[in-house]
Amino acid sequence: MSLSTDDVKKVARLARMKLTDAELEEHKAKLSGIISFVEQLSEVDTDNVEPLSSVVDIKLRLREDKVTDGDIVKDILKNAPEELEDFFAVPKVVE
Amino acid sequence: MTSNLTHQSLASALEGLEKGDFTSVELTQAHISAIEATRDLNAFITETPEIALKQAANSDERRASGKAGLLEGIPIAVKDLFCTKGVQTTAASHILEGFIPQYESTTTQNLWDDGAVMLGKVNLDQFAMGSANTTSYFGNVINPWKKRDGSNEQLVPGGSSGGSAASVAAYTSMAATGTDTGGSIRQPASFCGITGIKPTYGRCSRWGVVAFASSLDQPGAFARDVRDSALLLESMSGFDPKDSTSADMPVPHFAGALTGDIKGLKVGVPKEYRVDGMPEEIEKIWQQGIEWLKSAGAEIVDVSLPHTKYALPTYYIIAPAECSSNLARYDGVRYGLRVEGEDLTDSYEKTRAEGFGDEVKRRIMIGTYALSSGYYDAYYIKAQKVRRLISNDFTDAYKKCDVLLTPTAPSAAFVIGENDDDPIKMYLNDVFTVPSSLAGLPAMSVPAGLDKDGLPLGLQIIGRAWDEETVLRVGGVLETAAQFPFLNK
Amino acid sequence: MSALVKGETGEWEIVIGLEIHAQIIANSKLFSGSATDFGAEPNTQVSMVDAAMPGMLPVLNEKCVEQAVRTGLGLNAEIMRTSIFARKNYFYPDLPQGYQISQFEDPIVGKGVIEIDLPDGTVKEIGITRLHLEQDAGKSVHDQHPKKSFVDLNRSGCALMEIVSEPDIRGPEEAVAYISKIRMILRYLETCNGNMDEGSMRADVNVSVRKPGDELGTRAEIKNVNSLKAVHQAIDFEVERQIELIEDGGEVVQETRLWDPAKNETRSMRSKEEAHDYRYFPDPDLLPLVLEEKYIEDIKATLPELPDQKKHRFMGDYSLNLYDASILIAERSRAEFFETVANDNDAKLAANWVINELLGALNKDEKKLEQSPISAKNLGGLIALISDNTISGKIAKDVFAEMYASGKEANAIVEEKGLKQVTDTGAIEKIVDEVIAENPDNLAKYKNGKVQLLGFFVGQVMKKSQGKANPKMVNDILKGKLD
Ligand SMILES: [Mg+2]
Ligand SMILES: [Zn+2]
């Protein structure tokens, strides 16, 4: 299957990546190629097969409910592109 | 002297340090000089000579006071995907350029706790996405091997852990950490003529390793020989309560598995790995490997992994899907690059457009598409179902054999730029490594010989889950038989 | 506004489903070890995991799982033996990972049912669709700077239970009753403090309208409804908006709307409007959560008596009416207080004193029951004195006031002030005789048939005895003497 320009636009938007028209077209061609490639899977009979999401054959471990972390505001903000009064600052969000 | 120091094995360096033949500072300085002399390989993104020399001095003190760890005083390189406290960690991306973690990944911490010395952070494909180390924001890594025809063509080191493999092959580190999601340790090991092992998924903690595809990512080890790989892997391994997918299993003394004895061991040869268009030389080296193991007393068994051909398409749904979500955190709010925009959404879109390279964008988009409503069942769920079939293939095969022997990659190292225009062609590099990744199995590449151009070819040994020891044992036997002509030896 | 509303084209039925987000009471976050206290300094309760630094991984908090199971049992719901954490992907500055770890197809708790008590005294069952565990987001502050929003991640990663109801709710009163009951259950279970002011409990309201008997209409989801009053107002507004829209030939669109308490209206959230595709998939950093039957049984064994059970028991064992029972069970501590007061006493009298006197007085002083100057035991002591005729109900009120002021025991006050009721027939007769003697005119009127004057004579006797004479005895003796 090949992707339309709109498909590529939609995924780029969902993934929050601004693409120029030229980039959109270039990605469209390559993405279509990849999608066609992965579509071979449709020939595999997977009736009655359970999806496999993890290969680790262990039970999910649970953590004790203890405060063991936090109180490291300087470390948390260390790499912030912009910080103000111990907050991360971003362009104003209007709802 | 310098060349003697860098050109020995890790194991012999440990002996030399213990005997007092040289100090860790001397050993480390020799490697620092080697790094400086080989900067044209572009293996390192960040060199950390000051840290290395300080760690080495501390190590010498520890050794003097009788407190030597497993890797005491050994200078190593760290793939720049492992977060290192106070040292820039980029994942070879623009978006993380300048990012300085305030924490240390569990696996690298294990190394430092065992006395290892950090030479620096090595290059890789951006966010570990690639098979040639040509997607790094910090430039291509160059394979230290050259074709024997005298042409000075620059070859890829493989990827994504290309910097790790190139550094170890070029004697600028004694060993290096890597990560393997679909072959990112084994394929570059094969291309650079060294050993590389990806352990069972869950053996090494992923905590502090920049995530690509969480259900597949697994740290592992590069070294020139099997024993050294075993030593590095042993140090990196172990249960980590901070990683919910880390297994609470005892870590064996891996090097102890290198007994050289594989008598009666059943080695499976999967017929589906004979793919169309595979160079004859790959087939030849595979046959050679089979013969070597047979002469060492192993029993060769034909096995079938019927869903092998679907492993790559499965991988190219699952890995991008997970990556599209894992890389959502790079939004310019808390760390990394921020490109200002008209509003927040615009800022996100510009930041991510500028911060990610094309291959990363491509995979994010494929993954986003595969997870999006209307396509989820047809792509993602379908891929997970096929993943189970692939995993079941291995389970069935291991009813008949103890390990599998396959080629590591369908070709030797190629010229930089060769497969760049066709993603599928690039993806085919991983055709032999991806199936075992999908099944979470331990697998190793051992250099087995050279092709007609004089370039290294590796053989892959795939083991049962948690049975790295058999993998290493078989690797050791192959290595002994192959007498691989290391670079500059 | 009730369940049916009149429009121009006839009656409309209101259909409401609620999603309640309740913050779990736990020391640390759902997937990290940072603290969860309310009101901490910005970004002080944030770990590298909560800030979604590269390479950070979630590890599930056992307490949060236990709390969710407890709550599920309290909602009479099915506890799922296997549940799965999934990622809900979207971009927002207070969502550091770029996804929320939640549960989608396989929640920890399945279908359940609770009773709600309606203002008209009837009881209705509301179905629970599911309860799932998920992470809270951080908080964006928009009013600190002209051009910037500030992001505080203290709340990022706190554990939430999202409780989703069936669309069984038929009007704003039922919606309020439902939220109140959920809140009550959570507080009984001590799984959430139910504090809507601090955002520990938040409701998203799904509203649609339809002609009775029709299929479900298209719903709008209203967010930011942070009090019971707001829930009521938001539903009223939204119902009217939808009916008008449809009756004017328009169509309700499925969308997220924001309740604006200042303007008293709901409005479309443009930022969320663009087709949301959350791309849920199982979180590969976590494994399925598997619960053993024994684990669930062990939690079940520790459940307290729940509000509805308690209400039914109070109505049965203590013969209380629904109204009194409902008031007394509203808080677990209140019910316990009442039961201590009622211990060995007349339960109806106890209910009366707790509800009318004590809660009334506390309410006037804006005090909580926990701050009551009168302990349950002491209030029980006072009621015992009434029951055994040591003091009259009237004196009891004075004693109560004194107890409330000083915290002393009833007995001590009665002793100290000599308030013991006079039950000695001779003593009462003596006063009665005096009063009759002092009021010859009224006596004559009484004898002439103005029997209502009995009250006057009782009053005089009580006054003369300083309220201490047993009123029933006074009545009996007076009647004997006058008739
Ligand atoms: Mg919801
Ligand atoms: Zn929710």
Side-chain angles (χ1 to χ4, degrees), chain C residues 19 21 88 100 102 132 134 162 164 204 206 221 223 280:
Chain C
E19 287 168 25
H21 283 91
K88 179 182 183 179
Q100 175 195 37
S102 180
H132 66 251
E134 63 184 24
E162 179 173 331
V164 182
D204 296 340
N206 289 302
E221 183 180 1
K223 293 201 178 284
Y280 282 99

Side-chain angles (χ1 to χ4, degrees), chain C residues 42-336:
Chain C
N43 292 309
T44 53
Q45 296 185 160
V46 181
S47 68
M48 295 294 167
V49 176
D50 310 316
M53 292 287 168
M56 292 299 99
L57 298 171
V59 184
L60 183 58
N61 182 339
E62 63 179 8
K63 173 82 177 201
C64 299
V65 173
E66 189 192 321
Q67 294 284 55
V69 170
R70 256 177 106 67
T71 306
L73 293 169
L75 299 174
N76 309 301
E78 188 187 0
I79 308 302
M80 309 312 275
R81 298 286 301 275
T82 300
S83 64
I84 291 173
F85 288 97
R87 294 184 182 178
K88 179 182 183 179
N89 296 283
Y90 66 96
F91 286 88
Y92 209 69
D94 56 19
L95 189 73
Q97 293 164 140
Y99 55 84
Q100 175 195 37
I101 306 179
S102 180
Q103 296 185 306
F104 186 52
E105 281 175 344
D106 301 278
I108 185 165
V109 175
K111 283 196 182 313
V113 64
I114 63 162
E115 282 181 6
I116 60 169
D117 307 301
L118 298 173
D120 67 1
T122 57
V123 164
K124 179 176 174 179
E125 285 194 343
I126 305 290
I128 303 291
T129 312
R130 58 186 280 158
L131 173 155
H132 66 251
L133 280 165
E134 63 184 24
Q135 301 175 295
D136 205 346
K139 213 175 156 182
S140 302
V141 187
H142 307 299
D143 54 6
Q144 301 274 306
H145 191 283
K147 286 186 178 145
K148 302 284 173 190
S149 288
F150 285 7
V151 181
D152 173 16
L153 298 179
N154 278 348
R155 223 171 58 185
S156 163
C158 284
L160 298 178
M161 299 180 279
E162 179 173 331
I163 304 166
V164 182
S165 85
E166 295 287 314
D168 289 347
I169 298 161
R170 287 292 172 274
E173 289 81 12
E174 289 189 17
V176 167
Y178 170 80
I179 297 171
S180 308
K181 180 52 74 69
I182 292 283
R183 182 176 179 276
M184 203 186 289
I185 293 169
L186 298 182
R187 287 177 55 84
Y188 262 65
L189 295 167
E190 292 174 37
T191 56
C192 170
N193 68 24
N195 196 328
M196 291 185 89
D197 299 339
E198 292 178 358
S200 314
M201 207 175 113
R202 314 192 283 270
D204 296 340
V205 191
N206 289 302
V207 181
S208 65
V209 296
R210 66 173 169 191
K211 286 288 171 67
D214 279 3
E215 298 277 292
L216 286 178
T218 307
R219 64 171 204 265
E221 183 180 1
I222 314 170
K223 293 201 178 284
N224 194 36
V225 219
N226 297 327
S227 68
L228 293 178
K229 194 175 146 212
V231 168
H232 203 295
Q233 290 174 331
I235 293 171
D236 282 345
F237 177 89
E238 185 59 22
V239 166
E240 209 162 300
R241 185 188 74 86
Q242 291 186 14
I243 292 174
E244 268 182 36
L245 189 66
I246 302 169
E247 291 188 335
D248 288 351
E251 234 173 75
V252 176
V253 282
Q254 186 162 344
E255 62 175 350
T256 303
R257 299 180 68 86
L258 190 74
W259 170 245
D260 185 335
K263 292 188 182 152
N264 223 325
E265 62 175 28
T266 68
R267 70 181 130 87
S268 188
M269 282 174 84
R270 273 183 207 294
S271 58
K272 300 229 171 188
E273 199 178 19
E274 103 190 29
H276 244 161
D277 188 341
Y278 291 122
R279 290 157 285 138
Y280 282 99
F281 74 108
D283 191 329
D285 288 331
L286 293 161
L287 302 165
L289 173 63
V290 178
L291 304 177
E292 304 293 336
E293 194 59 46
K294 166 135 195 338
Y295 171 85
I296 300 166
E297 288 305 317
D298 287 351
I299 293 176
K300 201 180 260 174
T302 67
L303 286 194
E305 186 183 31
L306 289 163
D308 287 333
Q309 293 169 296
K310 218 182 255 300
K311 185 179 72 192
H312 292 138
R313 182 166 62 82
F314 281 12
M315 290 168 71
D317 291 4
Y318 297 125
S319 308
L320 301 184
N321 60 32
L322 175 66
Y323 179 78
D324 285 356
S326 298
I327 292 179
L328 290 172
I329 57 115
E331 295 282 350
R332 191 170 155 185
S333 56
R334 185 185 290 179
E336 273 161 17

Side-chain angles (χ1 to χ4, degrees), chain A residues 5-20 24 27 31, chain B residues 348-349 352 361 364-366 368-369, chain C residues 91:
Chain A
T5 304
D6 276 348
D7 289 334
V8 182
K9 252 187 200 157
K10 192 189 140 200
V11 290
R13 170 75 181 169
L14 273 173
R16 295 289 186 271
M17 298 187 300
K18 186 154 280 178
L19 300 182
T20 64
L24 272 176
H27 280 299
L31 294 179
Chain B
Y348 283 162
E349 291 186 334
R352 292 166 60 80
K361 283 181 195 159
I364 289 175
M365 286 193 280
I366 288 290
T368 303
Y369 185 73
Chain C
F91 286 88

Side-chain angles (χ1 to χ4, degrees), chain B residues 86-396:
Chain B
V87 176
Q88 174 182 242
T89 301
T90 67
S93 71
H94 185 28
I95 210 158
L96 275 180
E97 192 178 10
F99 171 67
I100 304 198
Q102 302 302 301
Y103 50 91
E104 185 76 30
S105 87
T106 300
T107 36
T108 48
Q109 188 62 53
N110 289 343
L111 293 170
W112 318 141
D113 289 348
D114 281 336
V117 167
M118 181 171 80
L119 292 164
K121 306 292 293 290
V122 278
N123 211 337
L124 63 149
D125 276 303
Q126 192 168 143
F127 282 103
M129 297 173 200
S131 306
N133 215 128
T134 48
T135 71
S136 167
Y137 177 71
F138 299 93
N140 300 332
V141 175
I142 294 157
N143 192 326
W145 287 78
K146 293 272 184 266
K147 288 184 185 172
R148 64 160 69 106
D149 62 8
S151 75
N152 212 22
E153 283 176 318
Q154 292 187 334
L155 305 175
V156 302
S160 68
S161 311
S164 307
S167 166
V168 172
Y171 304 94
T172 65
S173 57
M174 307 210 83
T177 70
T179 62
D180 191 315
T181 304
S184 281
I185 289 176
R186 292 159 284 163
Q187 184 253 18
S190 176
F191 278 21
C192 291
I194 60 170
T195 68
I197 181 164
K198 171 198 102 74
T200 312
Y201 182 88
R203 178 69 90 184
C204 288
S205 169
R206 295 184 295 114
W207 193 89
V209 182
V210 176
F212 161 18
S214 311
S215 76
L216 294 154
D217 294 345
Q218 186 55 210
F222 285 98
R224 287 180 291 270
D225 69 34
V226 177
R227 178 173 303 273
D228 291 359
S229 302
L231 288 168
L232 192 73
L233 182 65
E234 182 178 335
S235 176
M236 292 171 71
S237 298
F239 172 59
D240 182 4
K242 293 190 284 190
D243 175 358
S244 298
T245 61
S246 159
D248 194 356
M249 303 267 284
V251 179
H253 175 49
F254 287 133
L258 301 178
T259 58
D261 180 9
I262 57 161
K263 276 194 197 70
L265 195 80
K266 290 183 180 148
V267 176
V269 176
K271 61 173 191 243
E272 289 81 4
Y273 280 53
R274 241 164 228 116
V275 295
D276 289 346
M278 186 165 82
E280 208 179 302
E281 287 170 296
I282 304 284
E283 172 69 34
K284 225 175 88 191
I285 198 84
W286 191 10
Q287 280 309 319
Q288 179 66 74
I290 291 168
E291 290 310 317
W292 283 331
L293 296 182
K294 212 190 270 177
S295 358
E299 189 189 323
I300 304 300
V301 189
D302 285 326
V303 296
S304 171
L305 300 168
H307 296 91
T308 297
K309 81 175 263 212
Y310 299 109
L312 267 185
T314 299
Y315 177 86
Y316 276 96
I317 292 171
I318 290 174
E322 294 181 8
C323 111
S324 72
S325 177
N326 282 332
L327 270 61
R329 65 189 56 200
Y330 306 106
D331 58 9
V333 173
R334 285 146 290 114
Y335 46 80
L337 178 75
R338 178 194 291 184
V339 181
E340 297 295 340
E342 287 161 28
D343 56 26
L344 185 67
T345 300
D346 193 43
S347 169
Y348 283 162
E349 291 186 334
K350 285 180 170 150
T351 300
R352 292 166 60 80
E354 196 172 317
F356 293 138
D358 280 342
E359 180 61 22
V360 172
K361 283 181 195 159
R362 207 146 43 226
R363 297 207 194 182
I364 289 175
M365 286 193 280
I366 288 290
T368 303
Y369 185 73
L371 290 175
S372 65
S373 86
Y375 299 101
Y376 180 74
D377 287 339
Y379 293 103
Y380 189 72
I381 293 293
K382 182 78 183 183
Q384 282 196 324
K385 287 179 174 176
V386 181
R387 185 175 185 182
R388 182 172 299 278
L389 294 174
I390 290 165
S391 176
N392 290 347
D393 283 354
F394 281 101
T395 310
D396 291 342

Side-chain angles (χ1 to χ4, degrees), chain A residues 12-74:
Chain A
R13 170 75 181 169
L14 273 173
R16 295 289 186 271
M17 298 187 300
K18 186 154 280 178
L19 300 182
T20 64
D21 289 348
E23 285 168 331
L24 272 176
E25 289 310 312
E26 187 177 341
H27 280 299
K28 184 172 87 173
K30 286 185 177 165
L31 294 179
S32 294
I34 298 168
I35 289 295
S36 307
F37 174 68
V38 300
E39 276 178 345
Q40 315 173 43
L41 291 191
S42 60
E43 58 191 65
V44 185
D45 178 3
T46 51
D47 292 351
N48 307 314
V49 179
E50 276 296 300
L52 177 68
S53 53
S54 176
V55 291
V56 238
D57 194 16
I58 54 174
K59 266 183 66 181
L60 182 62
R61 272 185 317 273
L62 304 181
R63 207 187 74 241
E64 234 186 299
D65 180 31
K66 280 193 179 148
V67 177
T68 54
D69 212 336
D71 214 3
I72 44 169
V73 62
K74 290 285 166 287

